[in-house]
Amino acid sequence: MSWTLKQAPTQSGRIAVVTGANIGLGYETALALAGKGCTVVLACRNAGKAEAAQAAILAQHPKARVESMALDLGSLRSVRAFASAYKKRHATLDLLINNAGIMMPPFSLSEDGFESQLAANYLGHFALTGLLLPLIVKTPESRIVSLSSLAHKWSGIRFDDLHFTRRYDKRLAYGQSKLACLMFAYELQRRLTQAGSRTLSVAAHPGVSSTNLFQHLPKVVQLFAPLTELIFQSASGGAQPTLYAALGDDIQGGDYCGPQAMGEMRGAPGKVGSSRRSRDEAVAAKLWGVSEELTGVRFLD
Ligand SMILES: NC(=O)c1ccc[n+]([C@@H]2O[C@H](COP(=O)([O-])OP(=O)(O)OC[C@H]3O[C@@H](n4cnc5c(N)ncnc54)[C@H](OP(=O)(O)O)[C@@H]3O)[C@@H](O)[C@H]2O)c1
């Protein structure tokens, strides 16, 4: 039988940070966690949108404990400010849900000089996780969930032009960023195990879900967006693999969770496989070193 949220125990007394929690999968994840009694921190780049999401969650769960805090993953300055503000407010962190993301925007570089998808989807989360890790590893039963995608199969890691400054291909850049998120989840688990930590690093993907993620696709494609929900997943359905990764009692470090029907595009959550490229430990170690250099964040020192 497939996992459902009903099987998860109460999360009362626990705390979760969900990035990009104002809408889409992040919002649905935060809503479900709050409904389970978890204190939820909505880590969002737009204060107005975060407050609206907070109000919407409280309208459904009036006793929920929901906070919102500013976080722009496209800016290392903002990531550092968030981590330091969080550590001032909270002494523990049970669940870090690295959810926020953008897909196929026009080319731009972040203020740190990173290609925008690599910045927001991957390097921002890499830095965030590293900065919060001291708190996470001392919290019993803690987990870090990183969002990848079926698109991790679209590209390799292009070490010779990581930021696509020679010729931008927004599809390849998205694929690279999502492959990086998946390789990060696996490599983090290897490093946690080596350090003797019981914290779990797990990856998840939502299949294809009806959200704002498709806003940069051509208008004609967007006309078919309402069909996404009918044929594939609602945002709530797409959040189930993330919730399974965060709360499932049979989850092990290094697992990858996704929907189980229609080529993983929809369906109930379960454990899924990933590309051979995503399992390349030499590339993962190299990517880790490059990411530490680019962000200036070092893990488990
Ligand atoms: N939907 C799918 O079919 C699908 C498939 C595979 C993987 N995914 C992954 O699922 C995750 C969630 O996507 P979604 O479908 O829920 O998309 P969405 O509805 O567009 O939500 C994305 C969230 O990320 C936030 N965000 C974007 N850039 C950010 C930044 N620089 N700093 C902080 N927050 C930022 C957005 O904030 P704003 O509202 O302020 O823009 C929004 O809250 C992404 O990692 C995506 O790659 C989605």
Side-chain angles (χ1 to χ4, degrees), residues 31-266:
L31 177 68
L33 290 172
K36 279 282 176 186
C38 193
T39 298
V40 183
V41 176
L42 313 179
C44 304
R45 61 177 166 176
N46 179 304
K49 289 184 187 177
E51 279 158 27
Q54 188 174 3
I57 293 173
L58 287 171
Q60 290 205 47
H61 303 294
K63 290 192 181 149
R65 296 162 72 99
V66 191
E67 301 172 20
S68 62
M69 289 178 65
L71 172 64
D72 180 353
L73 287 151
S75 154
L76 289 176
R77 197 165 30 98
S78 172
V79 172
R80 287 187 183 282
F82 175 90
S84 109
Y86 182 88
K87 285 187 216 161
K88 279 189 192 132
R89 278 200 212 179
H90 300 285
T92 58
L93 178 52
D94 298 271
L95 298 171
L96 172 60
I97 313 287
N98 287 330
N99 164 81
I102 49 175
M103 183 172 77
M104 298 197 241
F107 179 76
S108 70
L109 293 177
S110 71
E111 67 184 34
D112 304 292
F114 309 151
E115 185 278 321
S116 65
Q117 299 182 82
L118 195 69
N121 299 354
Y122 171 60
L123 287 168
H125 283 123
F126 178 92
L128 179 69
T129 307
L131 293 168
L132 293 176
L133 203 59
L135 230 60
I136 300 174
V137 293
K138 70 174 198 188
T139 308
E141 314 275 307
S142 54
R143 292 187 194 180
I144 298 155
V145 180
S146 298
L147 266 282
S148 184
S149 167
L150 288 168
H152 81 266
K153 296 172 183 162
W154 292 353
S155 173
I157 305 294
R158 299 164 37 122
F159 290 108
D160 61 333
D161 188 19
L162 214 47
H163 304 291
F164 285 81
T165 48
R166 288 207 287 274
R167 195 179 69 82
Y168 187 49
D169 182 324
K170 56 191 178 182
R171 185 173 174 277
L172 285 186
Y174 181 67
Q176 171 179 262
S177 74
K178 290 282 118 178
L179 175 63
C181 292
L182 185 53
M183 296 186 93
F184 165 67
Y186 293 156
E187 179 68 14
L188 177 57
Q189 181 55 48
R190 287 190 283 273
R191 289 175 186 241
L192 287 166
T193 303
Q194 208 170 31
S197 169
R198 300 189 60 159
T199 295
L200 301 185
S201 168
V202 188
H205 83 85
V208 181
S209 298
S210 177
T211 68
N212 274 357
L213 193 70
F214 302 92
Q215 62 184 294
H216 297 296
L217 296 187
K219 290 274 176 285
V220 58
V221 178
Q222 288 185 44
L223 285 178
F224 294 97
L227 293 178
T228 318
E229 182 157 350
L230 293 176
I231 302 171
F232 301 109
Q233 307 252 68
S234 62
S236 163
Q240 299 311 304
T242 303
L243 291 162
Y244 174 47
L247 307 179
D249 63 3
D250 62 343
I251 293 292
Q252 294 177 344
D255 279 345
Y256 185 32
C257 305
Q260 293 196 290
M262 268 176 74
E264 296 176 27
M265 287 190 279
R266 62 171 292 157

Side-chain angles (χ1 to χ4, degrees), residues 252-298:
Q252 294 177 344
D255 279 345
Y256 185 32
C257 305
Q260 293 196 290
M262 268 176 74
E264 296 176 27
M265 287 190 279
R266 62 171 292 157
K271 297 186 186 183
V272 295
S274 65
S275 66
R276 184 190 291 210
R277 208 152 38 186
S278 72
R279 300 277 176 193
D280 188 324
E281 296 189 15
V283 172
K286 183 171 174 187
L287 176 64
W288 190 278
V290 170
S291 306
E292 283 191 331
E293 219 165 276
L294 288 171
T295 61
V297 174
R298 287 192 161 62

Side-chain angles (χ1 to χ4, degrees), residues 1-10 32 36 240 243-244 247:
M1 205 180 69
S2 299
W3 183 87
T4 66
L5 186 60
K6 282 198 187 116
Q7 292 167 30
T10 173
K36 279 282 176 186
Q240 299 311 304
L243 291 162
Y244 174 47
L247 307 179

